[in-house]
Amino acid sequence: MTTTVTDLYPSRGATEVSVPRQDPVVWGAAGTPGPIPATGLQSFERDGFLAIEQLITDDEVAVYHQELERLIADPAIRADERSIIEPKSKEIRSVFEVHRISEVFAKLVRDERVVGRARQILGSDVYVHQSRINVKPGFGASGFYWHSDFETWHAEDGLPNMRTVSVSIALTENHDTNGGLMIMPGSHRTFLGCAGSTPKDNYKQSLQTQDAGTPSDEALTKMASEYGIKLFTGKAGSATWFDCNCMHGSGDNITPFPRSNVFIVFNSVENEAVEPFAAPIRRPEFIGARDFTPVR
């Protein structure tokens, strides 16, 4: 029997819409034990993100960075559909489902410093909705335009509620000049439903250059004026946790200095994906998982 799920966040219609968030930000009860102190949870609730100066050690960074380099140098990985190639330079931009490709990154997902924070924020067991390494080589790697991840994960993957959190862990230094992550603090409290329908197999285009699910200039100007923009920098080993509905993006990297990060998306096991809310078909499972097995 098919269960009907109410669409709390309409998007991809004829017009752009803005609605208040209908879900909690921090789902865990106050005082829930975990790696994040109470002040950190309060900061996450307020801003939609939490920056950590050193999540993993320098020695661990070396191991993960070496594994990243091994993966992107492997011709079999390059030929895999889970690898996304830069349109201009033809270098690897991202490798998806990296926790299934690499046992090294699988161990990182299971690390209590990582998954423990996700459980604490989401108030439940969690599974990996998506994982990838993002490789931004110097001299022209393209950025990611402004967007809310939840808008896409809701519209195209079928996540019903905002009970999903991402972590970006730096494997190279994130300077203020090499295409770092930018977030509008507080933007997670408003859902922006984008205008325009979703083309079939939209993911093939959107993973290189985003089109569907892109906010209007007018909406972005209004949000940036209200919330401001925070640019995240930090040494290798630092991390940024951010809510699924944060308006965020990153610029091109035209410096000589690469910016490489491992990116893990945790979703609550109580928020399993259903059918897409605003797309003709599901995206492939390496982008939007359908295996809801909790991380152990």
Side-chain angles (χ1 to χ4, degrees), residues 264-282:
I264 307 163
V265 181
F266 293 101
N267 187 41
S268 169
V269 295
E270 298 172 13
N271 190 41
E272 291 181 1
V274 294
E275 290 305 308
F277 286 90
I281 58 172
R282 301 174 182 176

Side-chain angles (χ1 to χ4, degrees), residues 6-229:
T6 302
D7 185 357
L8 297 176
Y9 303 103
S11 191
R12 312 286 174 97
T15 59
E16 194 171 60
V17 296
S18 178
V19 297
R21 183 188 186 106
Q22 304 296 305
D23 294 304
V25 177
V26 175
W27 291 72
T32 301
I36 307 175
T39 53
L41 289 175
Q42 291 165 4
S43 176
F44 188 88
E45 174 93 30
R46 180 188 68 241
D47 298 327
F49 59 77
L50 182 64
I52 299 171
E53 286 188 13
Q54 185 175 43
L55 181 67
I56 58 177
T57 67
D58 292 344
D59 289 344
E60 290 170 316
V61 167
V63 171
Y64 294 124
H65 192 269
Q66 182 179 35
E67 178 69 353
L68 178 149
E69 294 290 343
R70 184 189 71 82
L71 291 172
I72 64 175
D74 185 342
I77 297 296
R78 183 181 178 86
D80 194 298
E81 67 173 343
R82 291 172 288 187
S83 292
I84 310 302
I85 309 300
E86 281 281 353
K88 293 181 180 179
S89 69
K90 304 303 179 185
E91 294 188 72
I92 288 180
R93 172 187 177 98
S94 303
V95 179
F96 280 80
E97 214 171 45
V98 71
H99 72 295
R100 295 194 182 279
I101 293 174
S102 164
E103 179 55 30
V104 173
F105 284 112
K107 288 180 180 177
L108 179 62
V109 166
R110 298 191 297 266
D111 191 309
E112 189 60 26
R113 293 169 295 177
V114 177
V115 69
R117 284 177 165 86
R119 293 192 191 106
Q120 198 176 0
I121 291 168
L122 301 180
S124 69
D125 278 332
V126 297
Y127 70 92
V128 176
H129 176 69
Q130 185 187 104
S131 73
R132 66 180 186 263
I133 46 174
N134 283 337
V135 186
K136 260 193 177 178
F139 300 116
S142 53
F144 294 85
Y145 197 69
W146 290 106
H147 64 286
S148 154
D149 286 329
F150 179 76
E151 192 279 336
T152 296
W153 298 338
H154 182 71
E156 300 187 38
D157 296 338
L159 294 190
N161 296 98
M162 294 180 183
R163 199 170 180 180
T164 314
V165 66
S166 301
V167 60
S168 176
I169 305 172
L171 300 182
T172 57
E173 184 163 356
N174 283 214
H175 302 281
D176 58 3
T177 52
N178 66 342
L181 174 68
M182 296 182 288
I183 294 179
M184 297 184 188
S187 59
H188 61 303
R189 295 193 172 279
T190 301
F191 176 75
L192 189 66
C194 299
S197 60
T198 309
K200 185 179 179 181
D201 291 339
N202 177 56
Y203 76 95
K204 293 180 180 178
Q205 168 68 25
S206 68
L207 296 181
Q208 292 183 333
T209 305
Q210 193 154 351
D211 188 10
T214 301
S216 68
D217 291 352
E218 292 78 13
L220 289 171
T221 300
K222 181 179 179 182
M223 294 183 82
S225 298
E226 180 176 355
Y227 300 120
I229 296 172

Side-chain angles (χ1 to χ4, degrees), residues 226-289:
E226 180 176 355
Y227 300 120
I229 296 172
K230 165 74 172 175
L231 170 66
F232 292 88
T233 59
K235 69 174 187 176
S238 63
T240 305
W241 289 86
F242 58 103
D243 179 82
C244 59
N245 192 46
C246 283
M247 189 61 67
H248 67 288
S250 64
D252 295 351
N253 181 14
I254 61 172
T255 76
F257 310 113
R259 174 184 173 262
S260 298
N261 296 52
V262 56
F263 183 81
I264 307 163
V265 181
F266 293 101
N267 187 41
S268 169
V269 295
E270 298 172 13
N271 190 41
E272 291 181 1
V274 294
E275 290 305 308
F277 286 90
I281 58 172
R282 301 174 182 176
R283 297 196 298 175
E285 291 196 25
F286 69 84
I287 300 174

